[in-house]
Amino acid sequence: MSGAPIIRLEGVCKNYGDFTALDNVSLSVFQGEKIVICGPSGSGKSTLIRCINALEHHDAGTITFDGQQLYAPGVSLTHIRRHVGMVFQSFNLFPHLSVLENCILAPKRTQGISDAVARDRARGYLDRVHILDQADKYPGQLSGGQQQRVAIARALCMEPKAMLFDEPTSALDPEMIGEVLEVMTDLAETGMTMICVTHEMGFAKRVADRVAFMDRGAIVESAPPQDFFANPQTDRAAAFLQKLIHP
Amino acid sequence: MEFDTQVFWSALTSAAYLKGALITLSLTVISHATAIAISLPMALVLNGSNRVARTLATGYVLIFRAVPQLLLLLFVWNALPQFIPVFREPWFNPFLAAWLALSLNEAAYQVEINRAALRAVDHGQGAAGIALGLTHTDVYRFIVFPQAARIALAPTVNEFITLLKITSLASVISLQELMTVTQISVARTFQFSEYYLAALIYYLVMVFTLMAIQKRIERRFAWEKTGMPGSVGGAR
């Protein structure tokens, strides 16, 4: 990896009252890198990626996306968010809009493209997540796995420079997890920069360049997956992996 | 005493009744429209973080929910001109007075409906819109308001029906709405049942028509009834 990182966090802290959600977190992500973030619940994983697209405002430290520092004067958070796709645990599709309308709303409103161009683009991404045949349905008519694939397509329709995944398979029934991970793996192969909060360790082994292990708001350990899984450096990471294997 | 079908029929088809019903309906429509226009920003303020604005809005709701509509109507028509000279001008008629009083009152009720409906829209919806890079205005316009409107529809139609009947109170300020027309006719002839029944039919037709419109709108926007297992996301 060369050049400046596309996402860079330095000394990021975030508190909710007395609770420390993020404790001096630093992380650099380069173009095309895939980072998997794991760790026990409440360790700050979701808060971390929600700070990257400014859904949460961090209290201290700096976050830079593509050379622009968040909250710096003259930097528009709305513009930054247009280049960072996000996929939520609970899908958050717009229930009053059809699948296709979900995908064209933001591109049409933010990129000044015509309806026809937006629809063509949306059909392309819906095809890529294998759900083009459901384009005219409403989210409520789809299964969880299908909804999450639509959510990924919706984010891709903005043609982002990086994608954030916040536990994308945690709300899914087991038999639907595979179809979503498959789409994410395909996306990784296209060279997309990805940060994924997930407990799918098989996915991490296959796709991740680095696994970052978080505990109590801090990144305790960060290593390529083969090293992390075979040889965790900290007791906390070892204990966490032990629990994943023998719950 | 017999029921005089002739009297009933001529009341039902009379220009006075029709005009009374139109006044009732138009007063309800414009009062409710005004109330919604006032209550929407107020609901946003009440759900928002500006404490001064929130206190003012809370005070408004408190006062106008407490005041009986009858008192408010009489106050606006009789007392307001004493304080504010413009209301002494001839253009200030019972219809405008009723419009003002009922709008102010109805807004206090409608604001609670709006507020609850806005709150009922899942937080993840706004987050998803923001994460896509939409502006806050667009998030409200295309994502939050349409969903909130669907939630608010049934209670709002309820309010409209209540308001339709409350307009009959405007007879005390001599507005020639449906009940005033009815009472004048009764006072002249003492044929209670014929004139009351005619009025009743007008109210029934108005309310039933409205309920049919509500059903139609609900069916048109029935996106949430098409759910399948797994369609609702898990906790965040």
Side-chain angles (χ1 to χ4, degrees):
Chain A
M1 307 288 166
S2 60
I6 184 163
I7 297 168
R8 183 193 201 118
L9 290 80
E10 272 177 293
V12 172
C13 298
K14 168 82 185 167
N15 299 303
Y16 297 105
D18 288 339
F19 180 72
T20 307
L22 293 179
D23 182 11
N24 198 21
V25 172
S26 297
L27 176 72
S28 290
V29 183
F30 291 87
Q31 183 81 50
E33 255 197 311
K34 290 103 185 91
I35 310 288
V36 162
I37 300 176
C38 63
S41 71
S43 59
K45 312 179 295 287
S46 292
T47 308
L48 178 68
I49 66 167
R50 290 171 71 89
C51 283
I52 293 173
N53 67 351
L55 284 184
E56 306 272 354
H57 193 161
H58 57 283
D59 302 323
T62 57
I63 298 177
T64 313
F65 179 80
D66 204 14
Q68 290 192 295
Q69 189 184 321
L70 270 59
Y71 308 102
V75 170
S76 158
L77 296 175
T78 305
H79 279 96
I80 287 177
R81 291 189 189 109
R82 289 173 189 170
H83 300 291
V84 188
M86 178 138 185
V87 175
F88 298 86
Q89 181 182 347
S90 49
F91 328 139
N92 296 348
L93 292 178
F94 308 131
H96 61 301
L97 302 177
S98 73
V99 164
L100 195 66
E101 288 165 338
N102 262 277
C103 292
I104 63 174
L105 173 63
K108 271 175 71 181
R109 294 297 301 171
T110 62
Q111 299 178 344
I113 60 174
S114 72
D115 191 69
V117 170
R119 276 168 197 274
D120 274 355
R121 188 193 288 175
R123 287 200 190 92
Y125 284 113
L126 288 171
D127 195 26
R128 247 174 72 178
V129 303
H130 319 300
I131 201 151
L132 183 56
D133 52 331
Q134 315 277 358
D136 295 322
K137 289 199 177 163
Y138 285 91
Q141 296 170 291
L142 305 182
S143 72
Q146 290 174 321
Q147 289 193 55
Q148 194 61 299
R149 285 186 280 141
V150 172
I152 293 170
R154 178 177 71 178
L156 291 175
C157 282
M158 290 295 289
E159 312 206 307
K161 294 176 180 167
M163 287 281 286
L164 309 173
F165 292 85
D166 187 4
E167 302 206 29
T169 57
S170 298
L172 294 175
D173 291 334
E175 73 269 24
M176 294 169 181
I177 292 175
E179 62 190 67
V180 172
L181 292 180
E182 190 192 315
V183 162
M184 289 169 64
T185 307
D186 288 349
L187 180 64
E189 281 164 9
T190 66
M192 176 63 77
T193 308
M194 293 164 68
I195 301 181
C196 313
V197 172
T198 181
H199 291 148
E200 295 297 330
M201 292 303 132
F203 173 79
K205 281 178 191 162
R206 270 200 318 279
V207 171
D209 297 305
R210 267 187 293 154
V211 177
F213 173 74
M214 287 187 76
D215 193 25
R216 287 175 233 164
I219 294 182
V220 180
E221 203 170 324
S222 172
Q226 60 272 24
D227 298 342
F228 176 73
F229 289 113
N231 204 0
Q233 298 297 305
T234 60
D235 292 345
R236 283 190 271 175
F240 175 74
L241 287 173
Q242 200 62 43
K243 270 186 213 145
L244 275 189
I245 301 161
H246 306 290
Chain B
M1 195 168 170
E2 278 189 3
F3 185 84
D4 191 333
T5 318
Q6 191 65 45
V7 170
F8 162 72
W9 188 249
S10 64
L12 195 66
T13 54
S14 67
Y17 261 66
L18 185 64
K19 197 175 160 221
L22 285 176
I23 289 172
T24 293
L25 194 60
S26 53
L27 178 62
T28 312
V29 169
I30 69 161
S31 298
H32 204 179
T34 311
I36 289 170
I38 300 171
S39 63
L40 207 53
M42 206 147 49
L44 291 173
V45 157
L46 281 169
N47 282 347
S49 52
N50 185 325
R51 290 182 72 173
V52 178
R54 215 166 55 203
T55 309
L56 287 173
T58 308
Y60 179 95
V61 173
L62 210 66
I63 290 169
F64 282 96
R65 277 214 309 199
V67 179
Q69 288 99 345
L70 189 58
L71 177 60
L72 193 59
L73 278 164
L74 289 168
F75 184 88
V76 168
W77 179 238
N78 294 321
L80 208 56
Q82 293 184 324
F83 303 110
I84 307 169
V86 259
F87 290 120
R88 287 179 217 146
E89 314 263 336
W91 58 261
F92 191 59
N93 58 32
F95 187 88
L96 293 176
W99 176 21
L100 182 59
L102 295 178
S103 300
L104 291 173
N105 178 258
E106 185 54 39
Y109 290 98
Q110 188 69 39
V111 72
E112 291 297 319
I113 293 174
N114 298 352
R115 201 157 72 102
L118 287 169
R119 284 228 165 147
V121 177
D122 186 80
H123 272 299
Q125 292 292 306
I130 294 294
L132 281 165
L134 292 171
T135 61
H136 282 270
T137 314
D138 274 3
V139 166
Y140 271 98
R141 182 172 157 203
F142 294 105
I143 298 166
V144 177
F145 282 148
Q147 295 183 49
R150 174 64 188 77
I151 297 164
L153 179 68
T156 300
V157 172
N158 239 358
E159 276 304 308
F160 187 92
I161 291 170
T162 307
L163 187 61
L164 186 82
K165 291 175 283 189
I166 284 172
T167 54
S168 62
L169 292 176
S171 58
V172 298
I173 60 169
S174 68
L175 179 69
Q176 299 283 320
E177 49 69 56
L178 188 53
M179 274 316 290
T180 313
V181 172
T182 308
Q183 279 165 336
I184 291 168
S185 310
V186 167
R188 213 177 50 232
T189 63
F190 293 102
Q191 287 174 298
F192 298 101
S193 46
E194 291 83 351
Y195 287 110
Y196 286 161
L197 185 63
L200 175 66
I201 284 173
Y202 268 100
Y203 279 114
L204 287 178
V205 167
M206 287 192 280
V207 171
F208 287 163
T209 309
L210 215 73
M211 284 161 67
I213 294 170
Q214 177 192 346
K215 280 276 167 300
R216 176 167 277 205
I217 298 174
E218 278 179 351
R219 232 176 292 133
R220 167 73 183 75
F221 295 102
W223 34 263
E224 90 278 54
K225 282 186 189 145
T226 52
M228 266 176 46
S231 66
V232 180
R236 261 185 302 126

